[in-house]
Amino acid sequence: MTNRIAGLRRGLTNYGDRDFSLYLRRSFARSMGYSREILERPVVGIANTGSGFNNCHRHFPEMLEAVKRGVLVAGGLPIEFPTISLGEVFLSPTSLKYRNLMSIDTEEMIRAQPMDAVVLMGGCDKTVPAQLMGAVSAGLPAVMLVAGPMMTGRHKGERLGACTDCRRFWARYRAGEVNAEEIAEVEGNLAVTAGTCAVMGTASTMACIAEAIGMILPGTAAIPAVHADRLRAAEATGVAAVNLIGSAVTPNRIVNQKSVENALRVLLALGGSTNAIIHLTAIAGRAGVPVTLDQFNRLSDTTPVLVNLKPVGNGYMEDFFAAGGMGALLRELKPLLHLDCVTVTGDTLRERLEDDDADYVDRTIIAAREQPFEPQGGLVALFGNLAPKGAILKRSAADAKLFEHEGTAVVFSSLEDLAARIDDPALEVKPEDILVLQNAGPHSPEAMPEAGYLPIPKKLAQRGVKDMVRISDARMSGTAFGTIVLHVTPDAASGGPLGLVRNGDRIRLSVKERRIELLVDDAALKQRVAPAHPDAQKPTRGYAKLYAEQILGADEGCDFAFLRPQ
Ligand code: FES
């Protein structure tokens, strides 16, 4: 796509007469009350993902006004347009299934409509990666504006934030420690403002990654959704979008090998969401930059955990913002980062950090590099005969006592099987066993939901068991915790060895050796056939068909094959 300034002249509708096309376009634009003069301005499109099915974006009308103000002040014409929005908890079977659809929508609407630059307004889990994937593919100057995190609520004097505390209270309810009346009371206090989940879940991790990679304005990732600074950031984003018009600083240039490595460092230092690995792999893939799990482990070994937020630590996003936010974190990581990466402001990361003269840092939330919360990164990749193409463990959210563990497999062949049997008093399971969930990966009909956080079987939970090794080809919410091996690749539905595990098999996990092994010899495994999934028939129409035909594995970011650069 060309980046010359064209305003409404860009990409004319084809009537076989260009002058007539422009005449008609201007006429219809003027029907919306625009003057002829303002229609001569360069156009900034604003991809607005406000939706009644997205609680996290409910403040977007106010943010949108601030973006428009910034664009107008800087001499541009702001024109908003809707795209698909993905409200995490309102989508079935899982929002990840629709991330690629949203990325197509974003890419094509940027390309098809007359705009010289675009502001991407996103926030809830899959919206930021979808917009970045689409923007990288579209190649037009773009700047991201995130929703910002929710503020915390209160329950009996205790701070609550979605969604780590949702899971904590639900686990206590399942264990009989909290009654139905109290759990209903808690329900009303978990998500109390607009904005994305209040902990370092997927949305917050992706916002921080977007800043680390250079796609949002400096210092804006962690501003709470309801803070006045969020509106000031929105106004500044509008100005920045106008400044980008005609420039070569496009998302496909901002996202490169070095900036992706910076983003991986930040992800590890945050102890961020496992989902972010999939999303970052997909975003980088659109720019032709590979992300491998070997590379990931190398970075993990040399990147300390510097942030103390739930679900790994204690704080919430509002604390991270008050503690110094991304500026403080990037200053600590400076010796590990590629500083010559260009950002949406046109400045390099080095220039950004040189301009940053903030000196206050709350060390209970953001540690100094010499005194980290953990000496190594919060996430680690595992390999072995159970996961030939890798699996992920969030060691910072896991019980270190289970890092070197061998146990007997208790297998659930699908999510339906899990739901039917996990709380059955007759289920044969011991605390030292390993729970295995099959057929919940990207190639399954469930499309890789956040089901990897298998509940502790009720009869063990009631005995006080808080953690067990759990293995699946599913994902886990960024707000969850436990010794949970995820994203096993290839997944069971695409013929991976996970589908061959049987009840009673022995499995060995070694975080030290980065291994996940099924202790069954090859000859015996070759005799086994994976059971067919109950819903294994291929979809015959619509998006489900496209998904089934094009979906790639977790190691390729679960993108669609035809969307990767050729
Ligand atoms: Fe939107 Fe958690 S539900 S970020």
Side-chain angles (χ1 to χ4, degrees):
M1 181 176 286
T2 168
N3 288 329
R4 68 193 163 79
I5 302 169
L8 278 195
R9 291 175 180 78
R10 183 181 287 264
L12 288 172
T13 316
N14 198 347
Y15 295 113
D17 177 342
R18 294 180 57 78
D19 291 340
F20 174 72
S21 297
L22 180 59
Y23 172 74
L24 197 63
R25 177 174 287 176
R26 238 187 349 244
S27 165
F28 283 22
R30 288 181 72 183
S31 81
M32 293 186 276
Y34 293 114
S35 65
R36 226 168 181 257
E37 293 68 44
I38 205 163
L39 292 177
E40 288 301 315
R41 289 187 174 198
V43 175
V44 173
I46 306 171
N48 181 14
T49 53
S51 160
F53 286 112
N54 195 334
N55 58 292
C56 300
H57 296 187
R58 76 169 155 89
H59 57 315
F60 274 19
E62 202 182 13
M63 275 182 23
L64 179 64
E65 286 312 309
V67 175
K68 286 182 173 175
R69 192 163 65 233
V71 173
L72 284 170
V73 162
L77 170 60
I79 302 184
E80 72 180 280
F81 62 98
T83 70
I84 291 171
S85 186
L86 303 175
E88 184 60 23
V89 300
F90 294 99
L91 286 151
S92 174
T94 175
S95 62
L96 180 62
K97 181 167 183 179
Y98 303 101
R99 183 202 62 183
N100 296 348
L101 182 63
M102 182 174 170
S103 85
I104 295 172
D105 182 1
T106 305
E107 174 185 345
E108 297 304 333
M109 287 304 102
I110 291 173
R111 208 185 300 238
Q113 299 174 127
M115 62 190 81
D116 298 298
V118 61
V119 173
L120 307 163
M121 291 179 62
C124 194
D125 282 21
K126 310 303 177 291
T127 59
V128 171
Q131 290 186 315
L132 290 178
M133 290 160 72
V136 169
S137 295
L140 191 75
V143 50
M144 178 106 224
L145 173 66
V146 293
M150 293 176 199
M151 303 297 284
T152 53
R154 293 286 187 281
H155 172 68
K156 295 183 177 170
E158 190 185 349
R159 289 168 86 198
L160 296 183
C163 217
T164 303
D165 296 321
C166 320
R167 294 170 203 287
R168 187 165 57 84
F169 268 88
W170 192 251
R172 291 181 62 197
Y173 173 60
R174 281 174 55 80
E177 296 166 16
V178 166
N179 63 25
E181 204 179 317
E182 184 168 5
I183 198 77
E185 220 174 285
V186 169
E187 181 185 286
N189 289 309
L190 287 165
V192 292
T193 72
T196 48
C197 285
V199 298
M200 191 50 79
T202 305
S204 299
T205 306
M206 287 312 302
C208 294
I209 280 179
E211 184 167 336
I213 217 165
M215 280 300 300
I216 65 176
L217 292 186
T220 62
I223 302 169
V226 295
H227 197 295
D229 280 353
R230 172 67 43 213
L231 295 176
R232 289 188 268 267
E235 186 185 294
T237 300
V239 173
V242 176
N243 292 339
L244 275 175
I245 290 174
S247 90
V249 182
T250 49
N252 47 322
R253 294 204 172 91
I254 291 174
V255 176
N256 57 44
Q257 193 133 20
K258 289 180 177 178
S259 65
V260 168
E261 195 167 304
N262 286 348
L264 285 166
R265 290 270 190 204
V266 164
L267 165 62
L268 290 159
L270 293 170
S273 165
T274 48
N275 284 318
I277 302 171
I278 291 179
H279 298 321
L280 190 53
T281 303
I283 295 163
R286 292 294 181 94
V289 175
V291 174
T292 70
L293 292 181
D294 287 318
Q295 168 199 20
F296 187 72
N297 273 346
R298 277 198 304 280
L299 295 174
S300 186
D301 288 344
T302 53
T303 309
V305 176
L306 298 179
V307 175
N308 176 25
L309 296 193
K310 293 187 179 205
V312 172
N314 301 318
Y316 295 88
M317 281 302 286
E318 65 197 48
D319 305 321
F320 181 56
F321 175 61
M326 278 297 290
L329 180 64
L330 291 171
R331 288 198 302 276
E332 290 302 326
L333 289 174
K334 193 172 171 185
L336 301 176
L337 300 175
H338 299 288
L339 299 175
D340 53 345
C341 293
V342 177
T343 73
V344 275
T345 61
D347 288 342
T348 62
L349 183 56
R350 177 182 288 105
E351 287 163 335
R352 177 222 162 136
L353 292 176
E354 279 168 2
D355 287 350
D356 182 350
D357 53 5
D359 53 4
Y360 173 75
V361 181
D362 178 349
R363 291 297 182 199
T364 66
I365 297 293
I366 303 171
R369 202 176 62 260
E370 303 73 35
Q371 293 172 300
F373 294 116
E374 297 286 342
Q376 292 179 317
L379 306 170
V380 67
L382 306 170
F383 297 92
N385 68 345
L386 194 51
K389 290 187 171 183
I392 296 292
L393 173 81
K394 187 170 184 175
R395 62 179 160 191
S396 53
D399 182 347
K401 290 198 286 298
L402 292 170
F403 281 4
E404 307 302 316
H405 184 78
E406 188 181 313
T408 301
V410 176
V411 181
F412 300 92
S413 62
S414 66
L415 282 163
E416 295 76 27
D417 185 33
L418 175 73
R421 293 194 297 123
I422 189 76
D423 289 340
D424 185 342
L427 180 72
E428 287 188 24
V429 61
K430 302 183 290 305
E432 61 275 20
D433 289 344
I434 293 179
L435 305 181
V436 175
L437 172 64
Q438 301 166 322
N439 289 308
H443 294 87
S444 74
E446 283 76 17
M448 207 181 187
E450 292 183 339
Y453 178 71
L454 275 68
I456 303 293
K458 203 167 204 166
K459 68 183 195 186
L460 296 183
Q462 286 170 342
R463 281 169 42 195
V465 176
K466 298 273 188 253
D467 197 7
M468 296 173 73
V469 176
R470 288 159 270 180
I471 300 174
S472 75
D473 46 12
R475 295 177 297 120
M476 171 173 89
S477 163
T479 62
F481 44 87
T483 311
I484 297 174
V485 178
L486 301 152
H487 310 179
V488 169
T489 306
D491 63 344
S494 63
L498 184 72
L500 302 178
V501 184
R502 300 282 178 271
N503 275 324
D505 286 349
R506 300 288 287 175
I507 293 176
R508 180 172 162 265
L509 165 69
S510 173
V511 176
K512 197 165 56 191
E513 295 171 24
R514 312 278 196 269
R515 301 299 292 173
I516 184 78
E517 300 282 0
L518 178 61
L519 304 177
V520 175
D521 64 52
D522 282 354
L525 272 185
K526 282 203 181 97
Q527 301 297 315
R528 294 185 182 177
V529 181
H533 187 280
D535 297 326
Q537 11 2 358
K538 292 270 181 231
T540 54
R541 66 170 299 280
Y543 180 68
K545 182 170 189 290
L546 181 69
Y547 179 94
E549 289 171 356
Q550 292 290 331
I551 188 70
L552 298 170
D555 56 325
E556 294 182 274
C558 300
D559 202 355
F560 286 165
F562 77 100
L563 294 176
R564 311 266 284 192
Q566 299 302 309

